[in-house]
Amino acid sequence: MRNAQVGILLLLVSQLFACGDPLVGWPTDDLTAPTVSSTNPGPAGTGAPINGTITATFSEELDPGTVVGTTFYVQQAGTTVAGAVTYAGVTAVFTPTSSLAVNTLYTATVTTGVMDLAGNALVANHAWSFTTGAAPDTTFPTVSSTTPANGAVDVAFNAPLSAVFSEAMDPLTLTDVTFTLLDGTNPVVGTVSYVGVTALFTPAAPLDPSVLYTATIMAGVLDLAGNELVEDYVWTFTTGLAPDTTAPEVNSTSPAAGETLVPFNQNLVVVFNESMDPLTFTNVTFLVLDGINPVAGSVSCVGVTATFNPDVALAADTVYTATVTSGVKDLAGNALAANHVWTFTTGPVPDTMAPEVSSTTPADGDEDVAFNGNLSVVFSEVMDPLTITTETFRLQDGTTPVPGTVTYIGRAASFNPTAALTPNTVYTATVRAAASDLAGNPLAADYVWMFTTGPAADITAPEVSSTIPAAGATLVAFNANLTAVFSEPMEPLTLTTTTFKLAAGLTAVPGAVTYVGVTATFNPTADLAPNTLYTATLTTGAKDLADNPLVASHSWTFTTGPVPDTTAPQVSSTYPANGATAVAFNANLLAVFSEAMDPLTITTASFKLLAGATVIPGAVT
């Protein structure tokens, strides 16, 4: 009954304020300008989905009529992006007409044209930049946690419910229709708001004590890229006997109080002892000062954690003072008992230098590259390993991506192809500009280089094509060398007297081995023996240039000829003897040699008889 009465009262009040502004004559003491508490994507964010929307969450409700395309817009290189602007709760949403470009820097701006319900305008334009990723967001959102948790008991009945999502959601899809609370089967009247990644259901009146309630977030609520919650998320809890009246406390801060050498691109984080109301966290209740000067930034709160994200990096070697005021409250409306103040000091000048690629293996333009090896890149400084992936370190065969894995150690990244590369092929390797150093500085531009793989691996064993002497040859000159001709060029260092041998029976013949072209030569130290059977052998220790050995030892035999006759013949005796007298004039002449002669050389031309200068005709036998 009480819930029904509250609902009627809220309906009447809403009709009174149907025009969005307080009624004329109603007093208002709101003189505080609204601020931008948080954005999505955040300042300097990277990897933003190209099919997503851009949101700005404010410190208070705005006049919806002031949140339009001229007061909330997105630009790329000075050109305004086409899109539509919507507003719900405390969140404005810019929805691009078409997907954004990949890996591109965009700037979003909320101008001083936006005003709160009391007519207070934003003090200054709020602009921030972000960079898109390489692919659209197709991941379904999920509910990460709830307050109260599922099954919780003794829940304070004067606190709102909250649901934290896995990613930023479209606030227009989170309403009292899609986020409901039931007492049994009876709907509980309440309002739904959304900030950061947290949706809040605030009952119009305190819940009843000792009652089991059922909360539901319905399937169909969308993230900023239009991906929907796949199924209803339902949880239950039971209220306690008394409201939560305990003030929240700060458990820890980062940086800690008094901390030095703090990175100046770091966010500030405050962790509380209980879940906090994200709507109470603004640049007024969570602020950072450089001396007396406020630091511009956005504030968000999820669960027990509040974050201050500076719009720009902090100054080096500077003392900062951070304050969380008693204006922040827990989900039951209890405020921090007192301001929580702490100081910290930043470190030296930040790293703003873009990293570079120092060297690559293979180098640009290399040829005859082994196709079973890895690619490696050495950077000029240590990189953020999370940015060195197959998205930022790629290999292509023409336009076809080569599958593989990427590892990063020290300053070197390696690309390991899943399979061996193709021989005689030009490949293109790329390290994309999204690869960043530990300070978040990306490469200035994509680094691209090319190389060509070598021919297919030689796995064919060499063969002996021919030999001199040939196998089975006879009458071989015993002062000749042996030669073996191979089917392909050989490794000269493998052709020695150990792998190219000559033997007479079991006796090794000493000699020297030389190699030229495809021919190995065995040169015996001394002449071979005559009329002897020799065996020549090439062993499997002989290898080609690809280290392939002969399949089997190659042996052959040959036989040398007899000893050669090098002694000149002599005339042993004659008839008539030299100087003989009274020789019968009808006798024949005889010449006896010291050895058998070639009959064809014994003729009237070589055996003559003269009388003075006159040739005596005759016949020689």
Side-chain angles (χ1 to χ4, degrees):
M1 179 66 181
R2 180 183 60 193
N3 289 341
Q5 293 170 337
V6 170
I8 293 172
L9 177 60
L10 287 175
L11 179 61
L12 292 172
V13 172
S14 67
Q15 292 300 315
L16 287 172
F17 289 90
C19 294
D21 294 322
L23 294 178
V24 176
W26 280 41
T28 176
D29 56 359
D30 179 5
L31 301 176
T32 302
T35 61
V36 176
S37 300
S38 63
T39 63
N40 192 297
T46 59
I50 61 175
N51 62 334
T53 56
I54 297 90
T55 68
T57 301
F58 297 89
S59 58
E60 59 179 311
E61 288 190 54
L62 300 177
D63 178 355
T66 67
V67 185
V68 294
T70 55
T71 59
F72 183 12
Y73 54 86
V74 177
Q75 293 181 312
Q76 194 277 312
T79 301
T80 301
V81 176
V85 175
T86 53
Y87 176 80
V90 291
T91 302
V93 179
F94 179 92
T95 304
T97 303
S98 58
S99 294
L100 303 179
V102 300
N103 299 318
T104 301
L105 180 70
Y106 286 87
T107 300
T109 303
V110 178
T111 75
T112 55
V114 300
M115 299 181 182
D116 64 15
L117 295 176
N120 300 303
L122 207 63
V123 172
N125 289 356
H126 184 94
W128 74 101
S129 297
F130 60 90
T131 304
T132 54
D137 174 9
T138 59
T139 302
F140 298 115
T142 59
V143 176
S144 302
S145 63
T146 63
T147 301
N150 186 35
V153 295
D154 291 327
V155 174
F157 40 81
N158 60 341
L161 287 70
S162 70
V164 178
F165 293 89
S166 58
E167 58 180 311
M169 302 293 287
D170 181 353
L172 298 180
T173 65
L174 287 161
T175 67
D176 55 5
V177 175
T178 57
F179 189 175
T180 61
L181 181 65
L182 296 178
D183 173 1
T185 59
N186 300 315
V188 175
V189 176
T191 57
V192 173
S193 55
Y194 178 80
V195 61
V197 291
T198 304
L200 294 171
F201 182 98
T202 304
L207 303 180
D208 292 327
S210 302
V211 171
L212 176 68
Y213 286 90
T214 301
T216 303
I217 296 179
M218 299 181 66
V221 296
L222 306 176
D223 65 15
L224 294 177
N227 303 302
E228 63 181 23
L229 195 68
V230 175
E231 59 185 0
D232 289 356
Y233 188 90
V234 181
W235 75 102
T236 61
F237 61 89
T238 304
T239 50
L241 298 176
D244 174 10
T245 59
T246 303
E249 298 178 356
V250 174
N251 276 352
S252 64
T253 64
S254 178
E259 186 174 344
T260 59
L261 300 178
V262 174
F264 26 76
N265 54 354
Q266 175 178 313
N267 295 339
L268 281 72
V269 176
V270 179
V271 179
F272 296 88
N273 65 337
E274 61 177 309
S275 295
M276 303 294 287
D277 180 355
L279 297 178
T280 64
F281 283 83
T282 68
N283 297 87
V284 175
T285 59
F286 188 178
L287 66 156
V288 179
L289 298 177
D290 173 4
I292 60 173
N293 300 314
V295 175
S298 56
V299 176
S300 60
C301 179
V302 176
V304 298
T305 303
T307 302
F308 182 97
N309 184 8
D311 286 347
V312 296
L314 302 180
D317 297 312
T318 302
V319 177
Y320 286 90
T321 302
T323 303
V324 177
T325 74
S326 56
V328 300
K329 299 178 181 180
D330 64 15
L331 293 176
N334 301 303
L336 201 65
N339 292 353
H340 185 89
V341 182
W342 76 103
T343 62
F344 60 90
T345 306
T346 52
V349 177
D351 173 12
T352 59
M353 293 291 293
E356 298 178 353
V357 173
S358 301
S359 63
T360 65
T361 302
D364 186 30
D366 270 1
E367 298 180 347
D368 292 327
V369 174
F371 37 80
N372 57 348
N374 296 341
L375 284 73
S376 66
V377 176
V378 177
F379 295 93
S380 58
E381 59 180 305
V382 179
M383 303 293 284
D384 180 354
L386 297 179
T387 68
I388 310 297
T389 67
T390 50
E391 285 296 316
T392 57
F393 190 177
R394 297 177 174 179
L395 182 63
Q396 290 178 298
D397 174 1
T399 59
T400 303
V402 176
T405 57
V406 172
T407 55
Y408 179 79
I409 298 176
R411 293 187 298 116
S414 295
F415 183 97
N416 182 12
T418 303
L421 303 181
T422 305
N424 299 313
T425 300
V426 178
Y427 284 90
T428 302
T430 304
V431 177
R432 302 187 65 190
S436 305
D437 63 18
L438 292 177
N441 301 305
L443 290 174
D446 289 355
Y447 187 89
V448 182
W449 76 102
M450 302 173 73
F451 61 89
T452 305
T453 51
D458 176 8
I459 58 174
T460 303
E463 299 178 356
V464 176
S465 302
S466 62
T467 63
I468 297 177
T474 59
L475 300 177
V476 174
F478 37 80
N479 59 349
N481 294 337
L482 285 71
T483 62
V485 179
F486 295 92
S487 58
E488 59 178 309
M490 304 291 285
E491 171 55 63
L493 296 179
T494 66
L495 288 161
T496 67
T497 52
T498 302
T499 58
F500 193 174
K501 305 175 181 180
L502 182 62
L506 297 177
T507 303
V509 175
V513 174
T514 57
Y515 178 79
V516 177
V518 291
T519 302
T521 301
F522 184 97
N523 183 11
T525 303
D527 287 347
L528 304 182
N531 299 310
T532 300
L533 178 67
Y534 285 90
T535 302
T537 302
L538 281 162
T539 73
T540 56
K543 299 180 180 180
D544 65 15
L545 295 176
D547 208 37
N548 301 303
L550 290 172
V551 173
S553 295
H554 183 88
S555 297
W556 74 101
T557 61
F558 60 89
T559 306
T560 53
V563 176
D565 177 6
T566 59
T567 304
Q570 299 178 3
V571 176
S572 301
S573 62
T574 62
Y575 180 83
N578 185 34
T581 60
V583 174
F585 40 80
N586 59 347
N588 293 334
L589 282 71
L590 299 176
V592 178
F593 293 93
S594 59
E595 61 180 308
M597 301 295 286
D598 181 356
L600 298 178
T601 65
I602 311 299
T603 67
T604 55
S606 58
F607 191 177
K608 302 176 181 179
L609 180 64
L610 298 175
T614 302
V615 176
I616 304 300
V620 175
T621 59

